[in-house]
Amino acid sequence: MTRSVEVFGTLRSFIFDGECRLQLADSALPEEVREALVAFARAREHVTSGLRAILDRSVIAADDRILREDEPIGNGAILAILPPVCGG
Amino acid sequence: MITLHVGQAPLDLPVLESFGLEKYGDDGVGALVIFAGVVRRASQSPALTAMTYDGHPRLIARGFERLEHALREQQPAAWNASVQFRLGRVPVGAASLIIATISAHRPAAYEMNRAILEGIKLYSPIWKCEHFEDGQNTWLDGRSLREPPRETP
């Protein structure tokens, strides 16, 4: 299933319009979202050097909730990948 | 330098209206504390010209609900607050964040203003990108949300 995924902060350097569409099953775990984003960037020949390291320090959010690493993304929620935060 | 004005004219506090805090004026409020975070021109080369603030609005709102719950337990005295964020590109010298807190007495107003600021710094899903006069842009590193926070609000 195709899911819309928002990215923020430094991840915008890799996904230029800040949003991408990834093929993800409802049962996909956060790590599968990271892998799908790397594949998405590679397929579009975006620069991917350093991307994996940032993703390793990123979390996946579904709507307004951050998912645990063993928690599937489920159905329908707006997904977001959140790199390390700076605060205000 | 301290700039001092002494006189009989009413003191101007337009921020009360912009925050909607004027409605608390007859409710025993005796202290108002305002903090503004401003994009700083650091003495570096190339010079910083602006900062872009990126944020996840739904998670910011969710984080504030948790922060307020924690702070209500921390400070039992009556207080209210208003917070304004500016997302997007903010030039050097402009404010990106204003926190206003009111309470009957200054200790609670000061304490909650600082606590809200520290809570934002620690928990808010906000990202910053520096823009320099030579055209370079640098996203700042931060705290991974996969790691436990170093302190609690």
Side-chain angles (χ1 to χ4, degrees):
Chain A
M1 177 181 182
T2 302
R3 299 288 293 270
S4 179
V5 180
E6 299 173 287
V7 300
F8 293 88
T10 188
L11 291 175
R12 291 187 187 275
S13 307
F14 299 93
I15 309 297
F16 305 124
D17 54 6
E19 186 168 333
C20 54
R21 298 184 70 76
L22 306 179
Q23 287 293 326
L24 294 164
D26 294 348
S27 60
L29 299 174
E31 180 57 24
E32 294 172 74
V33 179
R34 296 185 186 93
E35 291 169 356
L37 184 74
V38 171
F40 176 90
R42 283 193 179 132
R44 279 150 189 80
E45 299 183 344
H46 293 181
V47 174
T48 57
S49 174
L51 174 59
R52 184 66 235 192
I54 294 167
L55 289 173
D56 285 342
R57 299 177 65 217
S58 300
V59 295
I60 312 304
D63 288 335
D64 62 355
R65 202 167 58 81
I66 294 173
L67 298 175
R68 299 188 314 270
E69 287 302 303
D70 61 353
E71 191 174 2
I73 59 174
N75 180 26
I78 298 173
L79 299 174
I81 305 178
L82 312 180
V85 299
C86 300
Chain B
M1 181 180 75
I2 298 176
T3 301
L4 176 65
H5 296 280
V6 180
Q8 295 187 5
L11 302 179
D12 187 20
L13 280 173
V15 72
L16 282 174
E17 186 176 346
S18 70
F19 278 99
L21 292 177
E22 77 280 6
K23 62 176 179 280
Y24 298 108
D26 297 327
D27 196 25
V29 171
L32 160 68
V33 172
I34 300 168
F35 169 84
V38 175
V39 178
R40 179 176 54 242
R41 182 186 300 280
S43 56
Q44 62 193 60
S45 182
L48 186 75
T49 57
M51 185 89 80
T52 288
Y53 293 83
D54 191 14
H56 189 300
R58 295 183 303 279
L59 277 170
I60 291 173
R62 177 80 181 262
F64 262 86
E65 290 172 9
R66 287 198 301 267
L67 179 64
E68 179 173 4
H69 180 75
L71 295 181
R72 292 285 174 203
E73 292 189 349
Q74 176 183 324
Q75 176 51 264
W79 58 274
N80 280 293
S82 199
V83 178
Q84 294 184 357
F85 272 122
R86 180 177 174 185
L87 297 179
R89 190 175 178 119
V90 182
V92 162
S96 60
L97 168 68
I98 300 177
I99 303 169
T101 49
I102 55 175
S103 189
H105 302 284
R106 65 182 181 276
Y110 273 115
E111 180 189 345
M112 289 302 96
N113 197 291
R114 178 68 180 264
I116 290 169
L117 175 63
E118 299 303 331
I120 291 169
K121 291 281 185 188
L122 198 58
Y123 290 104
S124 285
I126 293 174
W127 299 271
K128 298 191 278 196
C129 181
E130 294 177 327
H131 303 286
F132 297 95
E133 63 181 355
D134 65 355
Q136 287 191 61
N137 307 305
T138 304
W139 286 98
L140 300 180
D141 194 18
R143 182 180 71 82
S144 171
L145 295 173
R146 297 184 77 172
E147 301 159 4
R150 292 182 297 272
E151 52 190 284
T152 55

